[in-house]
Amino acid sequence: MNNDINEIIELSNKNQKKAFSIIKELDIENNFKSIGARINLVGSLKMGLLMKNRDIDFHIYTSELNIEKSFSAVSKIASNIKIQKLTYSNLILTDEHCIEWHLFYKDDKNDNEVWQIDIIHILEGSYYDGYFEKANDDIISMLTEEKRNIILKLKYQTPNNIKIMGIEYYKAVLKYNIKDFDEFIKWRDKQLFNAIIEF
């Protein structure tokens, strides 16, 4: 595995550029604004920490959770032929108060390149309104070039068959000063994480 940090940064930048082009191509923001939603980019792309996992995350908010309106916005996005799969979860009556959309975008120029677009439609004023945005802002405020490079390298070194949430890397590096992959795995093995990890 090539661990040259310049090549890792180059791959990260390439993937982030591609992610923003997908967002523009699908007109994601305008499609949700058309139903009166407030829409925020969150996650690794927002923080400049997208590496090799092709994930794009949005949280959108409306004053009521109207399934029909949410479907309307998503259907416009899914009308793009590159959206090959779509899943939906109704969590309106749970503590999350949301509708989850997961769209899978496949660029025909690269048969192996599938992007997952997670759009979480959250009730305004509920517990998770702004929750992840604040965590993102806290992470961004602690990032230095050195810390960013360590996070990108850890993500790059993670085998593709191991699923690790981004927040695990950020917490390890920014709060526990983890610097290499072996150290990270030892730290991670000692953690007791719930479904949602607090930063």
Side-chain angles (χ1 to χ4, degrees):
M1 182 180 285
N2 188 343
N3 289 321
D4 180 78
I5 191 61
N6 292 320
E7 290 191 22
I8 291 170
I9 292 169
E10 186 180 343
L11 177 60
S12 173
N13 290 339
K14 176 188 170 190
N15 283 338
Q16 291 185 76
K17 185 178 178 182
K18 176 65 176 177
F20 282 115
S21 77
I22 291 169
I23 291 168
K24 185 176 180 181
E25 178 188 349
L26 298 176
D27 204 18
I28 292 172
E29 293 171 283
N30 285 329
N31 281 315
F32 275 101
K33 285 177 182 175
S34 74
I35 63 165
R38 165 169 54 98
I39 180 162
N40 296 329
L41 180 67
V42 294
S44 59
L45 182 59
K46 165 74 175 179
M47 297 181 286
L49 295 169
L50 184 71
M51 188 56 236
K52 59 183 181 178
N53 285 344
R54 298 181 177 92
D55 294 320
I56 299 169
D57 299 290
F58 281 102
H59 285 183
I60 75 152
Y61 302 90
T62 51
S63 58
E64 63 171 353
L65 291 179
N66 183 304
I67 295 172
E68 189 176 346
K69 286 183 179 179
S70 200
F71 261 100
S72 171
V74 169
S75 69
K76 292 174 186 173
I77 298 166
S79 67
N80 186 301
I81 198 166
K82 294 177 187 174
I83 298 293
Q84 299 202 333
K85 182 182 173 186
L86 167 70
T87 67
Y88 154 81
S89 296
N90 181 339
L91 302 175
I92 292 174
L93 298 180
T94 70
D95 291 341
E96 283 81 7
H97 298 295
C98 71
I99 300 167
E100 284 191 6
W101 297 103
H102 304 286
L103 298 89
F104 298 86
Y105 172 103
K106 189 173 184 182
D107 194 335
D108 50 11
K109 292 177 184 174
N110 186 338
D111 290 341
N112 298 318
E113 193 171 285
V114 177
W115 287 79
Q116 180 170 328
I117 304 164
D118 297 329
I119 301 172
I120 314 301
H121 185 172
I122 301 169
L123 180 66
E124 274 185 355
S126 64
Y127 180 79
Y128 288 108
D129 184 345
Y131 180 95
F132 293 96
E133 288 86 339
K134 182 184 182 303
N136 286 180
D137 289 343
D138 290 345
I139 291 164
I140 290 168
S141 72
M142 295 176 72
L143 276 177
T144 61
E145 184 179 359
E146 179 191 13
K147 297 287 188 185
R148 178 176 183 264
N149 289 349
I150 291 170
I151 290 168
L152 292 179
K153 191 168 185 177
L154 290 177
K155 286 186 171 187
Y156 180 80
Q157 291 175 327
T158 301
N160 293 336
N161 62 341
I162 298 178
K163 184 71 175 173
I164 297 177
M165 290 183 281
I167 191 74
E168 297 179 62
Y169 299 104
Y170 314 147
K171 196 165 186 174
V173 174
L174 299 175
K175 292 201 166 182
Y176 293 88
N177 204 31
I178 300 298
K179 293 182 178 175
D180 64 53
F181 191 74
D182 289 340
E183 197 180 354
F184 171 64
I185 293 300
K186 287 175 186 173
W187 171 84
R188 186 174 183 258
D189 287 343
K190 295 176 184 175
Q191 307 307 306
L192 295 172
F193 289 134
N194 295 316
I196 295 176
I197 302 171
E198 293 187 4
F199 180 68

